[in-house]
Amino acid sequence: AASWSIKNASGRVVAIHERWEGGRSDKRFLWKHPNGRYSRNGEIKARTLPLYGSEHVKDLPPGAPVVLAEGEKARDALAAAHLPALATVTGASGTPEPESLEVLRGRRVILWPDADDEGFRHMQRIAERLQSIASDVRIFEWREAPPKGDAVDHPAVLSRSRQSVRALLEQMASTPVWEPGSSSS
């Protein structure tokens, strides 16, 4: 159904993530090496891979906020709406290693969880890891999100209207800075 190249900050492909779909709810994700060989024995560990979109961080102005979403599809939707975005590739049950988050060093990071408890916990774990990396961390909660909704579903992202996207970015930037031990949801 889809394929994403996961690149490091210099733009080198380190893995390929494929989404395969069968019936209504039958989906599975497979990892491939850059040479096209499938990872059959778990040698590709998603938690150690770069964030999806890491190769674009060097092009962002200093001090510009970066949105970190859950999954490649969400990042692609945000980028299509001209928002500076990256994505985790671990799934909500995983957490990127601190080395994978280093691309966010000194940046203002806005975490956008999927609208479910697992997505929120995923982003809280990342927020904890970003404490010594990012200049500040915020967890954006889209309160009107449909169940399990994510950035792909947001009206401003769907419309790609410059005015709507600007208002969304302002709303995300006004989210309070996340503090260890805080747990809104």
Side-chain angles (χ1 to χ4, degrees):
S3 177
W4 298 275
S5 293
I6 311 304
K7 300 176 182 179
N8 64 16
S10 64
R12 184 177 58 84
V13 175
V14 297
I16 300 162
H17 202 192
E18 291 184 343
R19 177 182 175 139
W20 291 78
E21 294 181 2
R24 287 179 176 218
S25 63
D26 180 31
K27 68 178 179 181
R28 59 190 179 120
F29 294 90
L30 300 173
W31 286 103
K32 285 170 58 174
H33 295 275
N35 66 7
R37 186 176 55 82
Y38 283 98
S39 172
R40 302 239 184 252
N41 301 315
E43 65 272 13
I44 294 178
K45 308 256 187 273
R47 70 180 185 277
T48 65
L49 293 174
L51 299 173
Y52 178 61
S54 288
E55 70 275 17
H56 300 293
V57 172
K58 66 185 178 307
D59 301 325
L60 297 176
V66 178
V67 180
L68 181 59
E70 183 184 327
E72 297 92 339
K73 216 167 124 179
R75 186 266 169 200
D76 286 345
L78 290 165
H82 304 289
L83 288 164
L86 301 175
T88 62
V89 299
T90 60
S93 62
T95 308
E97 292 291 330
E99 296 78 18
S100 300
L101 299 171
E102 272 297 320
V103 70
L104 297 170
R105 171 128 338 253
R107 295 263 178 197
R108 294 175 20 225
V109 180
I110 301 165
L111 303 173
W112 188 328
D114 285 2
D116 56 32
D117 290 341
E118 190 175 24
F120 188 76
R121 287 190 301 271
H122 174 61
M123 289 303 178
Q124 279 193 310
R125 291 190 308 272
I126 293 170
E128 290 170 8
R129 289 200 171 160
L130 283 171
Q131 285 301 287
S132 62
I133 297 171
S135 63
D136 71 53
V137 178
R138 299 160 194 270
I139 299 179
F140 173 67
E141 291 184 69
W142 176 28
R143 299 209 183 273
E144 299 81 28
K148 298 195 176 279
D150 64 14
V152 172
D153 305 306
H154 194 281
V157 175
L158 289 169
S159 76
R160 298 184 189 162
S161 147
R162 185 174 285 178
Q163 183 178 7
S164 297
V165 169
R166 189 175 302 124
L168 172 61
L169 191 55
E170 287 172 9
Q171 184 182 7
M172 287 190 289
S174 68
T175 300
V177 173
W178 182 86
E179 297 290 334
S182 68
S183 62
S184 58
S185 177

